[in-house]
Amino acid sequence: MTFIDLLIGVGLVFIVVAILVSQDLFRAVVLFVTFGVLLTLAWVRLQAPDLALAEAAIGAGLTGVLLLDAIGFLRKRKAARKDRDNKAIRAKPEQGAANE
Amino acid sequence: MNTQLRLTLASVAGVALFALLTLAIWYHPTSTVDLPQLVANSLAETGTEHPITAVLLNFRSYDTLLEVAVLLVAVVITLALAQQDSNEALSSLEQPARDSLVIALTRRLVPLVVLVGVYVLWAGSYQPGGAFQAGALIAAAGVLLRLAGWPIHQRANLLLRVGLTLGLVVFIMIASIALVSGQPFLTYPERWAGELIFAIETVLTLSIALTLLSLFLFSPEALSSQSRKPSKEKAQ
Amino acid sequence: MTTELFTTELFATELFTTELWFALIGALIIGISTIGFFGATHILKRIMAFNLMGSGVFLIMVGLAQHDRGVDPVPQALVLTGIVVAVSATALALIIFRRYIASGGQSKLPEHRS
Amino acid sequence: MTTLTLIPALLLIPLVFAILSLLVTRPWRNAFALLGIALQAVAALSLSWVIFTEGASSTALGNWAVPLGILLVADGLTVTLLTLTAFIAVICALYAFFYLRAYPREERYFWPLFWFLLAALNGIWLADDLFNLYVGLELLGLAAVGMVALQATQQSLAAALRYLLAALFGSLMYLLGVALLYGSYGTLAMGQLSDLMVGDLTTQIALLLMTLGLLIKTACFPFHYWLPPAHGGALAPVSALLSALVVKSSFYILARIWLDLGTLAVPIGLPEVLGLLGTCAILYGAWRAYTASEIKMLVAWSTVAQLGYLLLLFPLALNTTEAAAHLAWQGTLMHLLAHGFAKGAMFLAVGTLVLAARSTQLSDLAGISRKLPMALFAYGLAAVSLMGLPPSGGFSAKWLLIQSALHSGQWVWIIVISVGSLLSAAYLFRVFSVSFVEGKQRELQPTHPMLDVTALTLALIAIALGFFGMIPLSLMELGTPLPESPLPTGGQP
């Protein structure tokens, strides 16, 4: 084990903690992609270039894009809801109450 | 369950899991079976020089077959959940304004990404690379196009379905050749192993790229009338 | 000099390898993300925690196997399969989540809404 | 036809028809589905016959010997489960033809998912490789989640998300165990592992993690929370498939892990803890079924309770006498079969009632016995088996389990089994007490008679198991109950 392994390992753990305590979803997803990039380095250190390639393309890239897209979806949704509420101020608050 | 209790239980579970895993890793016994050696010994008969491709598409090709089925299930469910209000979804897919810089950028970038994808596929038979990474890269090119506002969304028409299933179809057909000649399922005919593996990988790349792209394209949209801002924050 | 700082072995013993180190990091990642998976209520957060946990499992799978036997293509191939399965599951979860929101649901499951 | 083609055929047929059902249009879809289930049933029965006459068999995929390649094993136990799957799949498919007419939108994607589910189940029954089981479990889980989400209502989507998150965590715990085992033993083949495995710390932790994951996937108490909304909210044929087959597959892996691989690594107290969880499931599930206000939730909670009996296998079979273990294993298999048929029948019958009454509330079924006597009769027969009244498969199962408990002198499980039967009678009778009341009658929608015929068929099989139960039990004995030799064998065991 070398110093660079130490850095990568500590970095990975640090990012995981940062993702999970982050209140801002967008920030969490950016950190998630960073985690993927760092994990790519870890795979290189573990002599697994295939996994490094797959992690960069699929783990960080594609999953990151899907997550970002989902956040964009949530934001649009929230904006639309606010829009609708503003239009009908005196209408009853419609929240799509889930009954379970 | 209140928040306090849930967090406490979650912490206990996490710490216990970490402790158990550390013990298990620290005290793990040394194995007697040397699988890497066995892989190296049989590599010459697999039709590929890259050991990981040999494991994925020859020794353990059955796992890969099921894995392709997993991908297909995900995309089937995506179509099932997207299609139900495809009319609404399609009408809401008003294209964000494309500026000339983005157009120019994607024009240059996308063919490059696709080219790298094809290289990764081809390289997979003797060095790191293969169908899954190549498929992901080509799908990424599609995602780039979509994010830049190119109108590549389409309906789940027959052509798309054929493309999605083609990988599994060809895989199953090649896997079944052996049954005709009385060999176990998934045995490749001698001498043709390399070519057949490459054929499987090529169609798999196409299907995987389409599948991953579909998972992105057919995600349910934020419906209803709303202010549709060009999603700039997504493009970074 | 700086490159030497990065590449010299930190421990004199050969028992503590890079592989073992990353396996232990994997264990730590799994522990932390388990807390996140059950502690968080936002579904996107839980999906991310699942992905991080998966990465931890993959690190253990490759690290532990290669600790004794050197480079082993079999766990690497298994992890490659695992990564593809994980991205399928993540995409599926996100799609059901989005459809759930579109049908009037919220970003937390009903039992987590206080 | 030899096992060389029959074993892969059971995987190929569902996969091929999954693809076909995606590609063809509506009238063809039903025709292909009919052809497919017929082929699949024929293949399962032929394989059973071959195994019955020639003994256990296996096929090394890709012609690679074991630690390198993947082995598929067909022994007596496997073919029994394959036949169970084929039977229930045929009936559920026939039911779905008529039931899904009311759900044209869901019908389109039901069939591909149905076929993938079947491929995954067959794959799991035949598997002999730990990682292969993981991929099979994921295929099964995703297909099942998709079927739950099909209706795309807010409730069904919430149920699907809850199910998916639970299933994914469960698979990761399983995979973690596999990673530790591979790191320690360097092989994934179960046949080989059962020879190598010792009882050291790492092995115990690995097996415990896998157990945790599989308990979550089997919805065992206290990890049952995801099951009732998922099974209770899905379309009737989906509920039947999920309750009858899907949760059993993860239990099957759990049983194999301890009884086949980890016999030397059983931690002290683990069998008793699992038995205790089973007891809690039986009591808590019965209580929730008794207080449920929706009829489908009643049946779903009954599944939680009935799954508890399966866990009694561990205290009865681990660290006891050989005779007790043998009886426990027989009783558990019988319970698995009887519950599969009875619960399948019950979900189908209840689905018909709900379809006719257009309401899931139990109170809205008042006086329905006059209008739908056949559906209610099927429900009644299924209930007989679930309660464990003679003659039925359920009775035989509980009888065998009690015999086993007597053999090993574990009286407490006899009490649990008896109390569980009484409790199940209490909640199952609630449907009768409502349906025979002459109250205000609801407008009933007409239902197709085939819906009753199919439900009744499954219920009759559950009862018939009480008479012909020796057939699956003797079939199970063929080969070894669980495969021991990692090498492909063809001839007599």
Side-chain angles (χ1 to χ4, degrees), chain B residues 137-191:
Chain B
L137 278 170
I138 295 172
V143 170
L144 272 180
L145 282 177
R146 178 72 191 89
L147 285 180
W150 294 77
I152 58 160
H153 61 275
Q154 67 274 74
R155 280 168 182 279
N157 54 21
L158 189 63
L159 197 65
L160 174 69
R161 281 154 192 259
V162 171
L164 288 172
T165 51
L166 192 67
L168 191 56
V169 170
V170 172
F171 202 157
I172 287 179
M173 279 164 59
I174 291 179
S176 306
I177 293 176
L179 292 179
V180 182
S181 58
Q183 295 267 348
F185 187 54
L186 283 160
T187 311
Y188 303 111
E190 262 177 285
R191 310 167 53 120

Coordinates of all heavy atoms in Angstrom, one line a residue, chain B residues 137-191:
Chain B
L137 N -20.6 4.1 -23.9 CA -20.0 5.2 -24.6 C -20.9 5.7 -25.7 O -21.2 6.9 -25.8 CB -18.6 4.9 -25.1 CG -17.5 5.0 -24.1 CD1 -16.2 4.5 -24.7 CD2 -17.3 6.5 -23.7
I138 N -21.4 4.8 -26.5 CA -22.3 5.2 -27.6 C -23.6 5.8 -27.0 O -24.1 6.8 -27.6 CB -22.5 4.0 -28.5 CG1 -21.2 3.7 -29.2 CG2 -23.6 4.4 -29.6 CD1 -21.2 2.4 -30.0
A139 N -24.1 5.2 -25.9 CA -25.3 5.7 -25.3 C -25.0 7.2 -24.8 O -25.9 8.1 -24.9 CB -25.7 4.9 -24.1
A140 N -23.8 7.4 -24.3 CA -23.4 8.7 -23.8 C -23.5 9.7 -24.9 O -23.9 10.8 -24.7 CB -22.0 8.7 -23.2
A141 N -23.1 9.3 -26.1 CA -23.2 10.2 -27.3 C -24.6 10.6 -27.5 O -24.9 11.8 -27.8 CB -22.6 9.5 -28.5
G142 N -25.5 9.6 -27.4 CA -26.9 9.9 -27.6 C -27.5 10.9 -26.5 O -28.2 11.8 -26.8
V143 N -27.0 10.6 -25.3 CA -27.4 11.5 -24.2 C -26.9 12.9 -24.4 O -27.7 13.9 -24.2 CB -26.9 11.0 -22.8 CG1 -27.1 12.0 -21.7 CG2 -27.5 9.6 -22.5
L144 N -25.7 13.0 -24.9 CA -25.2 14.4 -25.2 C -26.1 15.1 -26.2 O -26.4 16.2 -26.1 CB -23.8 14.2 -25.8 CG -22.6 14.2 -24.8 CD1 -21.3 14.1 -25.6 CD2 -22.6 15.5 -24.0
L145 N -26.4 14.3 -27.3 CA -27.3 14.9 -28.3 C -28.6 15.4 -27.7 O -29.1 16.5 -28.0 CB -27.6 13.9 -29.4 CG -26.5 13.6 -30.4 CD1 -26.9 12.5 -31.3 CD2 -26.2 14.9 -31.2
R146 N -29.2 14.6 -26.9 CA -30.5 14.9 -26.3 C -30.3 16.1 -25.4 O -31.2 17.0 -25.4 CB -31.0 13.7 -25.5 CG -32.3 14.0 -24.8 CD -33.5 14.0 -25.8 NE -34.7 14.5 -25.2 CZ -35.0 15.8 -25.1 NH1 -34.2 16.7 -25.6 NH2 -36.1 16.2 -24.5
L147 N -29.3 16.2 -24.6 CA -29.1 17.3 -23.7 C -28.9 18.6 -24.4 O -29.2 19.6 -24.0 CB -27.9 17.0 -22.7 CG -28.2 16.0 -21.6 CD1 -26.9 15.9 -20.8 CD2 -29.3 16.4 -20.7
A148 N -28.2 18.4 -25.6 CA -28.0 19.6 -26.4 C -29.2 20.1 -27.1 O -29.2 21.1 -27.8 CB -26.8 19.4 -27.4
G149 N -30.3 19.3 -27.0 CA -31.5 19.7 -27.6 C -31.9 19.1 -29.0 O -32.8 19.5 -29.6
W150 N -31.1 18.2 -29.4 CA -31.4 17.6 -30.7 C -32.6 16.7 -30.5 O -32.8 16.0 -29.6 CB -30.2 16.7 -31.2 CG -29.0 17.5 -31.6 CD1 -28.1 18.0 -30.7 CD2 -28.5 17.8 -32.9 NE1 -27.1 18.7 -31.3 CE2 -27.4 18.6 -32.7 CE3 -29.0 17.6 -34.2 CZ2 -26.6 19.1 -33.7 CZ3 -28.2 18.1 -35.2 CH2 -27.1 18.8 -35.0
P151 N -33.5 16.7 -31.5 CA -34.8 16.0 -31.3 C -34.6 14.5 -31.6 O -35.1 14.0 -32.6 CB -35.7 16.7 -32.3 CG -34.8 17.2 -33.4 CD -33.5 17.5 -32.8
I152 N -34.0 13.8 -30.7 CA -33.8 12.3 -31.0 C -34.8 11.5 -30.3 O -34.7 10.3 -30.3 CB -32.4 11.9 -30.8 CG1 -32.0 12.1 -29.3 CG2 -31.4 12.5 -31.7 CD1 -30.9 11.3 -28.9
H153 N -35.7 12.1 -29.5 CA -36.7 11.3 -28.8 C -37.7 10.7 -29.9 O -38.0 11.3 -30.9 CB -37.5 12.1 -27.8 CG -38.3 13.2 -28.5 ND1 -37.7 14.4 -28.8 CD2 -39.5 13.3 -29.0 CE1 -38.6 15.2 -29.4 NE2 -39.7 14.5 -29.6
Q154 N -38.1 9.5 -29.6 CA -39.0 8.8 -30.6 C -39.9 7.9 -29.8 O -39.8 7.6 -28.7 CB -38.2 8.1 -31.7 CG -37.5 6.9 -31.1 CD -36.1 7.2 -30.6 OE1 -35.9 7.8 -29.6 NE2 -35.1 6.8 -31.4
R155 N -40.9 7.5 -30.6 CA -41.8 6.5 -30.0 C -41.2 5.1 -29.9 O -40.2 4.8 -30.6 CB -43.1 6.5 -30.8 CG -44.0 7.6 -30.5 CD -45.1 7.6 -31.6 NE -45.9 8.8 -31.4 CZ -46.9 8.8 -30.5 NH1 -47.2 7.7 -29.7 NH2 -47.7 9.9 -30.3
A156 N -41.8 4.3 -29.1 CA -41.3 2.9 -29.0 C -41.8 2.1 -30.1 O -42.6 1.2 -30.0 CB -41.7 2.3 -27.6
N157 N -41.3 2.4 -31.3 CA -41.8 1.7 -32.5 C -41.1 0.4 -32.7 O -40.2 0.0 -31.9 CB -41.7 2.6 -33.7 CG -40.2 3.1 -33.9 OD1 -39.3 2.4 -33.3 ND2 -40.0 4.1 -34.6
L158 N -41.5 -0.3 -33.7 CA -41.1 -1.7 -33.8 C -39.6 -1.7 -34.1 O -38.8 -2.6 -33.5 CB -41.8 -2.3 -35.0 CG -41.5 -3.8 -35.2 CD1 -42.0 -4.6 -34.0 CD2 -42.1 -4.4 -36.5
L159 N -39.1 -0.7 -34.8 CA -37.6 -0.7 -35.1 C -36.8 -0.6 -33.9 O -35.8 -1.4 -33.7 CB -37.3 0.5 -36.1 CG -36.0 0.4 -36.8 CD1 -36.0 -0.8 -37.7 CD2 -35.7 1.7 -37.5
L160 N -37.2 0.2 -33.0 CA -36.5 0.4 -31.7 C -36.5 -0.9 -30.9 O -35.5 -1.4 -30.4 CB -37.2 1.5 -30.9 CG -36.6 1.6 -29.5 CD1 -35.2 2.1 -29.5 CD2 -37.4 2.5 -28.6
R161 N -37.7 -1.6 -30.9 CA -37.8 -2.8 -30.1 C -36.9 -3.9 -30.7 O -36.3 -4.6 -30.0 CB -39.3 -3.3 -30.2 CG -40.1 -2.6 -29.2 CD -41.6 -2.7 -29.7 NE -42.4 -1.8 -28.9 CZ -43.1 -2.1 -27.8 NH1 -43.2 -3.4 -27.5 NH2 -43.8 -1.3 -27.2
V162 N -36.9 -3.9 -32.0 CA -36.0 -4.9 -32.7 C -34.5 -4.6 -32.2 O -33.8 -5.5 -31.9 CB -36.1 -4.9 -34.2 CG1 -35.0 -5.7 -34.9 CG2 -37.5 -5.3 -34.6
G163 N -34.2 -3.3 -32.3 CA -32.8 -3.0 -31.9 C -32.5 -3.4 -30.4 O -31.4 -3.9 -30.1
L164 N -33.5 -3.1 -29.6 CA -33.3 -3.4 -28.1 C -33.1 -4.9 -27.9 O -32.3 -5.3 -27.1 CB -34.5 -3.0 -27.3 CG -34.7 -1.5 -27.2 CD1 -36.0 -1.1 -26.5 CD2 -33.5 -0.9 -26.3
T165 N -33.9 -5.7 -28.6 CA -33.8 -7.2 -28.4 C -32.8 -7.9 -29.2 O -32.5 -9.0 -28.9 CB -35.2 -7.8 -28.7 OG1 -35.6 -7.4 -30.0 CG2 -36.2 -7.4 -27.7
L166 N -32.2 -7.2 -30.2 CA -31.3 -7.9 -31.1 C -30.2 -8.6 -30.4 O -29.8 -9.7 -30.7 CB -30.8 -6.9 -32.2 CG -30.1 -7.5 -33.4 CD1 -31.1 -8.3 -34.2 CD2 -29.4 -6.5 -34.2
G167 N -29.6 -7.9 -29.5 CA -28.4 -8.4 -28.7 C -28.8 -9.8 -28.1 O -28.1 -10.8 -28.3
L168 N -29.9 -9.8 -27.4 CA -30.3 -11.1 -26.7 C -30.6 -12.1 -27.8 O -30.3 -13.3 -27.6 CB -31.5 -10.8 -25.8 CG -31.9 -11.9 -24.8 CD1 -30.7 -12.2 -23.9 CD2 -33.1 -11.5 -24.0
V169 N -31.3 -11.7 -28.8 CA -31.7 -12.7 -29.9 C -30.5 -13.4 -30.5 O -30.4 -14.6 -30.5 CB -32.5 -12.0 -31.0 CG1 -32.7 -12.9 -32.2 CG2 -33.8 -11.5 -30.5
V170 N -29.5 -12.6 -30.9 CA -28.3 -13.1 -31.5 C -27.5 -14.0 -30.5 O -27.1 -15.1 -30.8 CB -27.4 -12.0 -32.1 CG1 -26.1 -12.6 -32.5 CG2 -28.1 -11.3 -33.2
F171 N -27.4 -13.5 -29.2 CA -26.8 -14.2 -28.2 C -27.4 -15.6 -28.0 O -26.7 -16.7 -28.0 CB -26.9 -13.4 -26.9 CG -25.8 -13.8 -25.8 CD1 -25.5 -12.8 -24.9 CD2 -25.2 -15.0 -25.8 CE1 -24.5 -13.1 -23.9 CE2 -24.2 -15.3 -24.9 CZ -23.9 -14.4 -23.9
I172 N -28.7 -15.6 -27.9 CA -29.4 -16.9 -27.7 C -29.2 -17.8 -28.9 O -29.0 -19.0 -28.7 CB -31.0 -16.6 -27.5 CG1 -31.2 -16.1 -26.1 CG2 -31.8 -17.9 -27.7 CD1 -32.6 -15.8 -25.8
M173 N -29.3 -17.2 -30.1 CA -29.1 -18.1 -31.3 C -27.7 -18.8 -31.3 O -27.6 -20.0 -31.6 CB -29.4 -17.3 -32.6 CG -30.9 -17.1 -32.9 SD -31.2 -15.8 -34.0 CE -30.3 -16.3 -35.4
I174 N -26.7 -17.9 -31.1 CA -25.4 -18.5 -31.1 C -25.2 -19.5 -30.0 O -24.6 -20.6 -30.1 CB -24.3 -17.4 -31.0 CG1 -24.4 -16.6 -32.3 CG2 -22.9 -17.9 -30.8 CD1 -23.4 -15.4 -32.3
A175 N -25.8 -19.2 -28.8 CA -25.7 -20.1 -27.7 C -26.4 -21.5 -28.0 O -26.0 -22.5 -27.4 CB -26.3 -19.5 -26.4
S176 N -27.4 -21.4 -28.8 CA -28.1 -22.7 -29.1 C -27.5 -23.5 -30.2 O -28.0 -24.6 -30.3 CB -29.6 -22.3 -29.4 OG -30.1 -21.5 -28.4
I177 N -26.6 -23.0 -30.9 CA -26.0 -23.8 -32.0 C -25.5 -25.1 -31.4 O -25.7 -26.2 -32.0 CB -24.7 -23.0 -32.6 CG1 -25.2 -21.7 -33.3 CG2 -24.0 -23.9 -33.5 CD1 -24.0 -20.9 -33.8
A178 N -24.9 -25.0 -30.2 CA -24.3 -26.2 -29.7 C -25.3 -27.3 -29.4 O -25.0 -28.5 -29.6 CB -23.6 -25.9 -28.4
L179 N -26.6 -26.9 -29.1 CA -27.6 -27.9 -28.8 C -27.8 -28.8 -30.0 O -28.1 -30.0 -29.8 CB -28.9 -27.2 -28.3 CG -28.8 -26.5 -27.0 CD1 -30.1 -25.8 -26.7 CD2 -28.4 -27.4 -25.9
V180 N -27.8 -28.2 -31.2 CA -28.0 -29.0 -32.4 C -27.0 -30.1 -32.5 O -27.3 -31.2 -32.9 CB -28.0 -28.1 -33.6 CG1 -28.3 -28.9 -34.9 CG2 -29.0 -26.9 -33.4
S181 N -25.7 -29.8 -32.2 CA -24.7 -30.8 -32.4 C -24.5 -31.6 -31.1 O -23.4 -32.3 -31.0 CB -23.4 -30.1 -32.8 OG -23.0 -29.1 -31.9
G182 N -25.4 -31.5 -30.2 CA -25.3 -32.4 -29.0 C -24.3 -31.9 -28.0 O -23.8 -32.7 -27.2
Q183 N -23.9 -30.7 -28.1 CA -23.0 -30.1 -27.1 C -23.8 -29.4 -26.0 O -24.9 -29.0 -26.2 CB -22.0 -29.1 -27.7 CG -21.1 -29.7 -28.8 CD -19.8 -30.1 -28.2 OE1 -19.5 -29.7 -27.1 NE2 -19.0 -30.9 -28.9
P184 N -23.2 -29.1 -24.8 CA -23.9 -28.4 -23.8 C -24.2 -27.0 -24.3 O -23.4 -26.4 -25.1 CB -23.0 -28.3 -22.6 CG -22.0 -29.5 -22.8 CD -21.9 -29.6 -24.3
F185 N -25.3 -26.4 -23.8 CA -25.7 -25.0 -24.1 C -24.6 -24.1 -23.9 O -23.7 -24.2 -23.0 CB -26.9 -24.7 -23.2 CG -27.5 -23.4 -23.4 CD1 -28.1 -23.1 -24.6 CD2 -27.7 -22.5 -22.4 CE1 -28.7 -21.9 -24.9 CE2 -28.4 -21.3 -22.6 CZ -28.9 -21.0 -23.8
L186 N -24.5 -23.1 -24.8 CA -23.5 -22.0 -24.7 C -22.1 -22.4 -25.1 O -21.1 -21.7 -24.9 CB -23.4 -21.4 -23.3 CG -24.6 -20.4 -23.0 CD1 -24.7 -20.2 -21.5 CD2 -24.3 -19.1 -23.6
T187 N -21.9 -23.7 -25.7 CA -20.6 -24.1 -26.2 C -20.4 -23.5 -27.6 O -21.3 -23.6 -28.4 CB -20.5 -25.6 -26.3 OG1 -21.0 -26.1 -25.0 CG2 -19.1 -26.0 -26.5
Y188 N -19.3 -22.8 -27.8 CA -19.0 -22.3 -29.2 C -18.4 -23.4 -30.0 O -17.5 -24.1 -29.5 CB -18.1 -21.1 -29.1 CG -18.7 -20.0 -28.3 CD1 -18.1 -19.6 -27.1 CD2 -19.8 -19.3 -28.7 CE1 -18.5 -18.6 -26.3 CE2 -20.3 -18.2 -27.9 CZ -19.7 -17.9 -26.7 OH -20.2 -16.9 -26.0
P189 N -18.7 -23.5 -31.3 CA -18.1 -24.5 -32.1 C -16.5 -24.1 -32.1 O -16.2 -23.0 -32.2 CB -18.7 -24.2 -33.5 CG -19.9 -23.5 -33.3 CD -19.7 -22.7 -32.0
E190 N -15.7 -25.2 -32.1 CA -14.3 -25.0 -32.2 C -13.9 -24.2 -33.4 O -14.6 -24.2 -34.4 CB -13.6 -26.3 -32.2 CG -13.1 -26.8 -30.9 CD -12.5 -28.2 -31.0 OE1 -13.3 -29.2 -31.2 OE2 -11.3 -28.3 -31.0
R191 N -12.8 -23.5 -33.3 CA -12.2 -22.6 -34.3 C -13.0 -21.4 -34.6 O -12.5 -20.4 -35.1 CB -12.2 -23.4 -35.7 CG -11.5 -24.7 -35.6 CD -11.7 -25.5 -36.8 NE -11.3 -24.7 -38.0 CZ -10.4 -25.0 -38.8 NH1 -9.8 -26.2 -38.7 NH2 -10.1 -24.2 -39.8

